[in-house]
Amino acid sequence: MTTSMDRLAAAIHGTPCDRIPVFCNLIDQGAIEMGMKPQEYFSRGDCVAEAQLRMLAKYGHDNVWTLFYVGKEAELMGCDKIKFALDGPPNVENFVIRSWEDIPGLRVPDDIESHPSFAEGARCTAILRREVGGKVPICAYVTATMTLPAILMGMDRWMELLFLGPPELTAMLLEKCHELFVKEIRAYRRAGADVLVYSNPFGSTDMVPMNFFLERSLPWIERDIAAVGTAGIVYYCGMASMNRVISRVLERTGIGVYYLSPLDDITRGRELIAGRALTCGVINDIELIDWSPEQIEHEVERMIAAGKPGGKFLFGTGVMPAAIPEPSIRAMMNAALRFGRHEVTAS
Amino acid sequence: MLTELITQYNEALIDTDRDRALQVVHDAVARGVSPEAIVFEVVLPAMDRMITCMTVSGDASIAQHFITAQISNTVTNEMLTRFAVPSETRGRIVIGNSFGDLHALGKRIVIGCLRARMIEVVDLGLNVTAEQFVEGALEHGSPIIAISSMMVHTARGPNGCLGVRRILQERGLEDRIKVIVGGAPYRFDHTLWQTVKADAWADNAMAGARMVEDMLLGVPR
C-alpha cells in the first residue's frame, strides 16, 4: 500500500505514484480536537501528538506536525509569557529583547534538547515517530536566522535595528540566532522529524527590497543551509511570496522544496523551478474560511491543474486558521485527493 | 532643482537609507527650498509613489514601506515647525491593534504615514478591546477608528471590528464614527473588511493614510 512518505518521495524525485501528496497544516485545530484549553493542550506533547493523529485519520492528508506554536523558539531564548487564545495561535507577549542593550546578554542554551520548552516537542515527535514514523512525513518548523529576531523583539523593532541600528549589534544578534537555528535543526532531526520547514519571511521581497535580499538575506540563507545541509529542508517565506527569489535560493543553496505563497502564481513558480525541485502550491486558507464547497472545489482544481502536469508537485495549505469549518477542510481534502490522482496505467 | 531633489529623495527611500534621505532634505533646505515645497512636492508625492509601487507593480517591500513612513513622519514634523504660516491639522483619529493582537509593525507604519500627512493620531496601543476603541474615539473627538490586525482570529473575532460595530450600533454612533481596518488577513481576503462590518479598508498603510485624509476632508471615495 502506498504511504504518504512514498507519495512525498515520488513527488520529490518525479517518479510515478498514485497521487500528489497533500499537506494540510492543522496546528490551531489541535486543542479544539482534543476538547482542551489551549494552555493545557500546549503544555503536553502527548496531547499534541494525539491531536495530530486524530486529525490525520479524520482528513486523510499526508503529514503531521510537531509544531506547537512559533513562540516556542522565543521560549528557548528566555521568553516567559505567551498569550493564549481560544480561537487562534498563541503569541509571544513578553519579548526577550526589550531594548538593544539586552542583545549582548542574550544566551543560546547549550543543550536545547534538555530545555523544558523543547522537551514536550520531543515527546510529541517520539509518539508520532512510534505511531506513523516512516509512513507519514513528520514536519518541524524552524525559523531562519534572518527572521528569528522578529520573534525575540517584535517585527517592527527588528526592522529598526536591521535597517537603522548599529551594524555590530545586528551582527551579534544574527550570530546568536544562527547558533539557535543550527541547534534546533539538529535537535529536530535527532528527534525524528523528516521535513524541516525553514521559515524566512525576510527571505521574501515582499518583506525586504531585492538589493537587501541579495546583499544580506541570501548570504544568511546560504550560511544556514551550509551549516545543516539540505536534507528535508523546505523553503518557506511565512505566506509571503517567493517567486522573485526562488531561482537564486535554489542555485545558491540547493534546497529541494519550495512552499509557495498563495500570492505566488503556481505556473510561474514551476517555470522558475524547472524540474530542479519540488513545487508546493498553497491554497489561500484565509479565503477558505468563507468559501462555499463549490468555490473550494473550483480553486483546488485550478491549483492542481496548474501544478500537477509534469510531476514534482505537492498541494498544501498555509497554517490553517481555526475559523475554517470542518466541512470546508473536508471539501478541500476531497477535491485535492480527487484532482491530485495520477492516471495509473493498468498492468 | 526640485526634480533632482525628488529623484534623490526617492532613491534614498527605495534604498531604505534614512540618513541619506534626511541629508537630501537638509541640503535642499540649506539651498533655499521651502519647507512647504519639501512636504507637498517631495514627501507626500513620494508616499503616493510608494502606494503605486505596492499596489500596482508590487515593487515595494514592507521594509521600504516602514522606513518611508518613519522618514516621512520625521521630515514633515521638522518642516512643519518652519512653515511660513503654521499648518492646521487635517483631523484626528484613534488607532490600535485589535483585541488579542500584539503585532505593532503595521500600526506603526500607518501612524508614520498619517502624521506625515499632518493628521493627529492617538495610539491606543496593542490588544485594545472594542470598548476601548469606542471610548477612545469619543474621548479624543475622533470621527475614525482605525483597527490593525495581523492575525485572522483577531481580525474576525467578536472583540475586534465586529465588537466595535456592535457598540457603535447600540449607542447610535454609526453616523459620527467610521471604522477602517487593515493588516495581513485583509490582504489575503479582499472581502474580509465587509465580513467584519468595517466601513473601509486599505491594501497598505500609505493608501490607508491617504484614505483617512480623504475621509477627514470629506472627499468622496
Side-chain angles (χ1 to χ4, degrees):
Chain A
M1 184 182 153
T2 307
T3 67
S4 296
M5 194 68 95
D6 295 333
R7 288 185 194 105
L8 180 61
I12 288 171
H13 297 111
T15 52
C17 202
D18 59 343
R19 62 170 172 80
I20 62 170
V22 177
F23 274 25
C24 184
N25 305 320
L26 300 166
I27 313 295
D28 296 349
Q29 289 77 4
I32 301 163
E33 183 69 35
M34 297 295 287
M36 297 171 74
K37 289 183 176 169
Q39 200 156 358
E40 184 193 359
Y41 169 75
F42 286 118
S43 71
R44 292 182 51 184
D46 58 333
C47 294
V48 174
E50 176 64 23
Q52 286 295 313
L53 294 169
R54 284 189 194 181
M55 292 188 287
L56 183 71
K58 184 191 282 189
Y59 297 115
H61 46 293
D62 289 310
N63 65 319
V64 289
W65 271 97
T66 64
L67 173 66
F68 288 38
Y69 47 85
V70 174
K72 276 277 173 196
E73 290 177 298
E75 289 178 343
L76 289 173
M77 296 294 276
C79 169
D80 59 2
K81 194 168 183 187
I82 296 288
K83 185 172 183 60
F84 291 91
L86 290 172
D87 52 355
N91 268 275
V92 172
E93 186 159 359
N94 281 352
F95 287 118
V96 177
I97 302 170
R98 297 179 195 186
S99 77
W100 291 354
E101 286 74 37
D102 293 335
I103 292 171
L106 197 65
R107 190 178 155 274
V108 179
D110 292 331
D111 175 15
I112 66 168
E113 285 161 270
S114 63
H115 193 285
S117 190
F118 191 86
E120 287 303 314
R123 186 178 174 202
C124 168
T125 311
I127 293 168
L128 293 174
R129 195 83 192 156
R130 186 186 70 215
E131 297 297 323
V132 296
K135 296 178 194 152
V136 179
I138 299 171
C139 302
Y141 179 101
V142 182
T143 303
T145 293
M146 183 54 93
T147 296
L148 192 53
I151 300 166
L152 304 178
M153 63 196 301
M155 187 74 90
D156 55 326
R157 299 277 179 84
W158 172 225
M159 268 195 189
E160 261 171 355
L161 176 60
L162 189 58
F163 288 93
L164 308 174
E168 63 279 7
L169 209 54
T170 305
M172 181 190 292
L173 178 56
L174 287 169
E175 288 293 341
K176 292 175 191 237
C177 288
H178 178 68
E179 184 186 342
L180 179 66
F181 166 79
V182 173
K183 285 182 175 177
E184 277 192 279
I185 290 277
R186 289 176 181 163
Y188 277 120
R189 280 189 177 139
R190 276 194 288 270
D194 307 296
V195 173
L196 299 152
V197 174
Y198 176 69
S199 178
N200 195 14
F202 281 74
S204 163
T205 53
D206 287 358
M207 189 62 73
V208 296
M210 180 57 91
N211 62 351
F212 182 93
F213 170 81
L214 294 172
E215 291 166 17
R216 303 284 299 279
S217 294
L218 188 55
W220 271 108
I221 295 166
E222 287 183 276
R223 195 169 152 194
D224 281 350
I225 301 307
V228 300
T230 58
I233 298 282
V234 175
Y235 194 69
Y236 170 66
C237 293
M239 300 298 272
S241 67
M242 67 169 71
N243 272 353
R244 294 180 72 193
V245 303
I246 281 178
S247 297
R248 288 184 170 93
V249 174
L250 205 162
E251 285 153 16
R252 297 272 283 271
T253 68
I255 291 175
V257 185
Y258 294 83
Y259 209 86
L260 304 185
S261 161
L263 305 174
D264 285 311
D265 179 72
I266 292 172
T267 304
R268 181 66 186 140
R270 282 183 54 83
E271 285 169 4
L272 291 162
I273 290 170
R276 297 174 292 173
L278 176 66
T279 306
C280 308
V282 178
I283 196 166
N284 185 336
D285 51 23
I286 294 179
E287 288 187 309
L288 180 58
I289 296 169
D290 297 312
W291 275 338
S292 67
E294 293 75 24
Q295 286 175 301
I296 294 169
E297 180 168 295
H298 178 74
E299 177 61 5
V300 173
E301 183 179 16
R302 183 196 68 77
M303 290 173 60
I304 292 179
K308 192 173 76 167
K312 294 197 174 184
F313 182 71
L314 176 150
F315 177 92
T317 70
V319 185
M320 300 274 278
I324 300 171
E326 264 196 33
S328 297
I329 301 176
R330 288 187 193 280
M332 181 198 72
M333 282 304 307
N334 289 341
L337 299 182
R338 185 153 51 91
F339 293 117
R341 204 178 300 136
H342 290 300
E343 297 303 326
V344 180
T345 307
S347 59
Chain B
M1 186 164 69
L2 212 53
T3 305
E4 187 187 348
L5 166 62
I6 291 166
T7 303
Q8 290 175 347
Y9 181 77
N10 286 341
E11 284 174 357
L13 296 186
I14 288 166
D15 292 341
T16 59
D17 190 335
R18 179 183 61 178
D19 293 346
R20 180 150 55 94
L22 296 178
Q23 190 62 51
V24 165
V25 167
H26 292 149
D27 289 350
V29 172
R31 290 199 308 271
V33 177
S34 73
E36 289 85 349
I38 296 285
V39 172
F40 295 113
E41 296 184 49
V42 180
V43 174
L44 296 184
M47 290 173 64
D48 289 340
R49 183 179 169 281
M50 189 68 78
I51 295 172
T52 306
C53 285
M54 298 225 35
T55 55
V56 179
S57 61
D59 283 341
S61 65
I62 290 173
Q64 286 163 313
H65 208 166
F66 179 63
I67 302 298
T68 297
Q70 307 309 308
I71 294 168
S72 305
N73 183 19
T74 301
V75 173
T76 300
N77 275 342
E78 190 182 324
M79 294 300 115
L80 280 174
T81 63
R82 303 184 188 189
F83 272 23
V85 177
S87 178
E88 285 187 12
T89 176
R90 294 175 176 184
R92 179 187 298 143
I93 78 158
V94 294
I95 189 170
N97 276 77
S98 50
F99 184 69
D101 206 299
L102 306 170
H103 299 82
L105 177 65
K107 175 169 66 73
R108 286 191 59 189
I109 299 175
V110 177
I111 289 173
C113 297
L114 288 165
R115 287 181 175 154
R117 288 185 179 276
M118 291 164 284
I119 295 164
E120 281 185 52
V121 184
V122 178
D123 183 2
L124 301 176
L126 306 171
N127 192 24
V128 180
T129 65
E131 290 77 10
Q132 288 170 326
F133 272 117
V134 176
E135 288 305 322
L138 291 171
E139 180 187 345
H140 297 287
S142 167
I144 296 173
I145 292 172
I147 307 175
S148 175
S149 304
M150 174 69 179
M151 306 172 76
V152 172
H153 73 285
T154 62
R156 298 179 65 108
N159 295 313
C161 186
L162 286 169
V164 171
R165 173 62 61 198
R166 177 181 51 77
I167 295 169
L168 292 177
Q169 281 173 343
E170 286 170 358
R171 297 175 63 173
L173 293 167
E174 287 185 292
D175 290 340
R176 285 172 54 190
I177 300 173
K178 300 300 176 193
V179 187
I180 64 169
V181 292
Y186 300 98
R187 300 196 73 207
F188 282 89
D189 181 352
H190 291 183
T191 63
L192 182 55
W193 66 280
Q194 295 165 312
T195 306
V196 301
K197 299 182 179 176
D199 291 297
W201 84 289
D203 177 71
N204 60 75
M206 303 261 170
R210 193 165 66 181
M211 186 177 71
V212 167
E213 183 181 11
D214 289 347
M215 290 168 79
L216 289 171
L217 298 177
V219 177
R221 285 182 291 118

